[in-house]
Amino acid sequence: MLIVMRHGASEQQINNVVEVIKKKGRDAHVSTGDVHTVIGAVGAKPVDPRDFELLDGVKEVLKISSSYKLVSRIFKPEDTIIDVKGEKFGGGNIGLIAGPCTIESEEQIEAAASKLASYGVKIIRGGAFKPRTSPYSFQGLGEEGLKIIRKVADKYNLAVTSEVMEISQIPMFLKYVDILQVGARNMQNFNLLKELSHINKPVMIKRGLSATIEEWLMAAEYILSGGNMEVILCERGIRTFERATRNTLDLCSIPVVKKVSHLPIIIDPSHGTGLRDKVVPMSLASVAAGCDGLMIEVHDNPDCALCDGAQSLYPEQYKDLMEKLAKIAPVVDKKMNY
Ligand code: PEP
Ligand code: MN
């Protein structure tokens, strides 16, 4: 249930509504908008809307029929902007994340980071704990990998994103990483999501391999409902009957999500297509379709990459792509930092 306060409602009136929500056994989440303050009353306890309609300062009480509430635009009409060391996602900003699939060595991260930083990239990616289909594939360097990417990122003043696979790893990730990534295979690991709802760093949730947009938004709802409002959604392709590409990149999810949710949505065309020559056109299409950012795999020497070389761009190719993206962004009223 959402309680919309009148324009100009006082702080005392807002606090009073919050108190009543809590007394009724629900959690209260306040969204302060430009025009109205909206208070979400979330939880399983049944509540009667009439108990709120007559409280001072209340404009209207909305029963939300959609399963997601805090991620919805009804709760928060304005775009959420996630700002990571000055790189912004949402609210008309296109944020970029680039880097190798996995951290292989300090030399490899140094080679990627030095070039990416010289192009103006602000956030580097790299997996240290890799969810591989085969137990015999390279599983990542673990904490050693996180130490490497943090050290190199600090040298070039970059922020870092990396995938956290389980609850016990969260404290370690908080030491080294600026955005905690939840992988497609973990999108519905609800215990992990609940723990990430209590941290105060942004979380990027990748869409599950066979998840509907609603299920994906519900995964984000888990994080917001625990108090962490900093969530980035990442579309990375879904499993369909099509075999020409690794996954089917659902770019339609951009306008669908933008309409119903205030959260930023970014696109990962690398996992979405699985092939380097498809990454460039799909990146351009993503920006044209209104995405809030892109996460792209870039490797200094993709032909020797331990993981996902075929879908990793060469650094120069990425630089060329950035220049093209910067031309498309203003056409769709978006800003890029480059
Ligand atoms: C990744 O981004 O490193 C990754 C493993 O992607 P996904 O979870 O989308 O498969
Ligand atoms: Mn990868």
Side-chain angles (χ1 to χ4, degrees):
M1 199 168 70
L2 296 180
I3 295 135
V4 184
M5 302 301 290
R6 286 186 198 287
H7 182 54
S10 70
E11 210 177 307
Q12 199 191 340
Q13 289 169 335
I14 293 167
N15 290 341
N16 182 43
V17 172
V18 168
E19 280 313 306
V20 177
I21 292 170
K22 287 186 181 158
K23 271 196 204 124
K24 304 264 175 211
R26 288 214 178 176
D27 287 334
H29 296 270
V30 180
S31 157
T32 313
D34 293 340
V35 185
H36 296 290
T37 293
V38 180
I39 308 170
V42 295
K45 281 259 173 71
V47 283
D48 186 339
R50 289 172 301 176
D51 291 341
F52 298 93
E53 267 158 15
L54 296 176
L55 295 178
D56 284 347
V58 172
K59 178 172 178 274
E60 59 182 331
V61 179
L62 304 172
K63 285 193 87 172
I64 305 292
S65 50
S66 64
S67 33
Y68 45 85
K69 303 183 191 321
L70 302 179
V71 306
S72 88
R73 277 214 188 264
I74 303 172
F75 174 62
K76 185 170 181 281
E78 306 83 23
D79 272 14
T80 286
I81 300 174
I82 309 286
D83 185 334
V84 183
K85 291 198 178 164
E87 184 75 344
K88 296 192 181 77
F89 301 84
N93 302 284
I94 295 175
L96 297 183
I97 302 172
C101 178
T102 187
I103 302 156
E104 299 167 14
S105 65
E106 186 166 334
E107 295 69 36
Q108 171 240 14
I109 294 297
E110 169 70 37
S114 57
K115 289 192 181 156
L116 292 171
S118 76
Y119 305 157
V121 169
K122 306 285 186 315
I123 308 178
I124 188 167
R125 62 150 288 146
F129 296 87
K130 295 302 298 176
R132 302 305 299 276
T133 303
S134 165
Y136 308 116
S137 302
F138 179 57
Q139 303 286 310
L141 292 181
E143 183 166 7
E144 192 46 39
L146 293 179
K147 281 186 186 158
I148 290 174
I149 199 165
R150 182 75 267 163
K151 180 177 163 200
V152 177
D154 285 345
K155 179 171 165 194
Y156 293 100
N157 198 24
L158 297 170
V160 171
T161 182
S162 193
E163 175 173 348
V164 58
M165 280 180 65
E166 53 173 277
I167 293 173
S168 63
Q169 295 167 348
I170 295 175
M172 183 205 305
F173 271 71
L174 291 174
K175 274 201 283 182
Y176 302 111
V177 162
D178 303 286
I179 304 172
L180 282 77
Q181 181 176 323
V182 175
R185 290 153 195 82
N186 255 329
M187 188 206 85
Q188 283 188 317
N189 180 341
F190 298 116
N191 288 336
L192 177 62
L193 299 179
K194 279 183 199 164
E195 286 304 315
L196 292 171
S197 79
H198 302 306
I199 67 169
N200 58 8
K201 283 195 175 178
V203 175
M204 180 210 298
I205 309 183
K206 301 195 90 178
R207 181 174 177 185
L209 278 71
S210 59
T212 64
I213 293 175
E214 185 173 15
E215 287 165 339
W216 184 25
L217 290 169
M218 288 308 291
E221 184 83 15
Y222 264 90
I223 299 187
L224 270 66
S225 69
N228 185 355
M229 308 310 262
E230 296 213 297
V231 171
I232 299 171
L233 298 163
C234 180
E235 164 67 51
R236 46 78 72 207
I238 48 175
R239 184 70 65 89
T240 70
F241 52 81
E242 183 53 65
R243 303 262 49 90
T245 47
R246 180 176 178 179
N247 289 293
T248 298
L249 186 61
D250 180 14
L251 290 192
C252 220
S253 65
I254 301 170
V256 171
V257 165
K258 293 302 294 175
K259 183 164 185 183
V260 298
S261 177
H262 53 85
L263 294 176
I265 171 170
I266 69 168
I267 301 297
D268 169 356
S270 309
H271 294 90
T273 65
L275 296 158
R276 188 181 303 131
D277 64 337
K278 314 288 183 292
V279 170
V280 170
M282 295 318 281
S283 302
L284 300 173
S286 304
V287 169
C291 73
D292 300 304
L294 286 160
M295 179 162 81
I296 296 177
E297 288 184 341
V298 181
H299 194 291
D300 191 50
N301 186 1
D303 304 320
C304 296
L306 290 184
C307 185
D308 287 349
Q311 66 188 38
S312 301
L313 297 189
Y314 293 92
E316 300 69 30
Q317 210 180 358
Y318 183 72
K319 180 172 186 275
D320 186 56
L321 172 63
M322 283 173 76
E323 285 162 13
K324 292 196 170 94
L325 295 172
K327 285 186 196 151
I328 295 182
V331 177
V332 289
D333 297 326
K334 301 256 185 180
K335 290 187 288 288
M336 244 175 72
N337 234 340
Y338 304 92

